[in-house]
Amino acid sequence: VSLDEQLLAHLEQLIAIITDALLDTRNFNSWETRQNCVDVNNSLVCFLRDMFAFLDPSCVYRLTMVYWSRLVARDGRQWQDRDSTIGLRCSWEITKLQMNAISAFVRF
């Protein structure tokens, strides 16, 4: 199954928005929002991983590359290396999100 260009563009935009929201360092100011970020990140990775079973691999590859490009890019976002209000180092937490994503893709 292949997606039309408009639907694929909207999915790309949605994945970029969600990934950017996950990486906002303000998310690490409470344990609840930190855990929500981890859960949403894992769900997004599982969604992308499972799409390989249903969609044309080139469509899923495109969506996956949008996710990875937003996950590792730092420009223009609230991505600061600082300590959160609960004592977490934000750059370490973002690295944990990246490593969780890598391990989830590898496990498939």
Side-chain angles (χ1 to χ4, degrees):
V1 176
S2 184
L3 300 176
D4 66 336
E5 285 299 315
Q6 185 178 9
L7 182 58
L8 190 59
H10 288 300
L11 273 174
E12 288 176 358
Q13 186 179 19
L14 182 63
I15 289 169
I17 290 169
I18 292 171
T19 307
D20 288 348
L22 288 172
L23 299 177
D24 191 332
T25 55
R26 294 173 291 184
N27 293 333
F28 306 114
N29 287 333
S30 77
W31 290 105
E32 293 82 20
T33 56
R34 178 204 171 273
Q35 189 57 45
N36 286 340
C37 285
V38 170
D39 293 341
V40 170
N41 187 53
N42 290 340
S43 297
L44 184 58
V45 169
C46 288
F47 170 75
L48 290 171
R49 185 187 67 195
D50 293 345
M51 295 291 273
F52 277 106
F54 303 108
L55 295 179
D56 179 39
S58 64
C59 291
V60 183
Y61 177 78
R62 229 172 108 178
L63 295 173
T64 305
M65 288 300 107
V66 168
Y67 171 74
W68 285 116
S69 67
R70 303 306 289 186
L71 191 68
V72 298
R74 292 175 61 172
D75 56 329
R77 282 188 238 117
Q78 289 284 357
W79 207 91
Q80 302 168 0
D81 190 17
R82 64 174 184 85
D83 290 329
S84 69
T85 57
I86 58 173
L88 299 173
R89 192 73 179 161
C90 293
S91 62
W92 296 352
E93 294 302 314
I94 291 172
T95 302
K96 288 178 192 176
L97 289 174
Q98 294 167 338
M99 297 308 289
N100 284 343
I102 291 169
S103 64
F105 272 110
V106 169
R107 281 183 271 147
F108 120 75

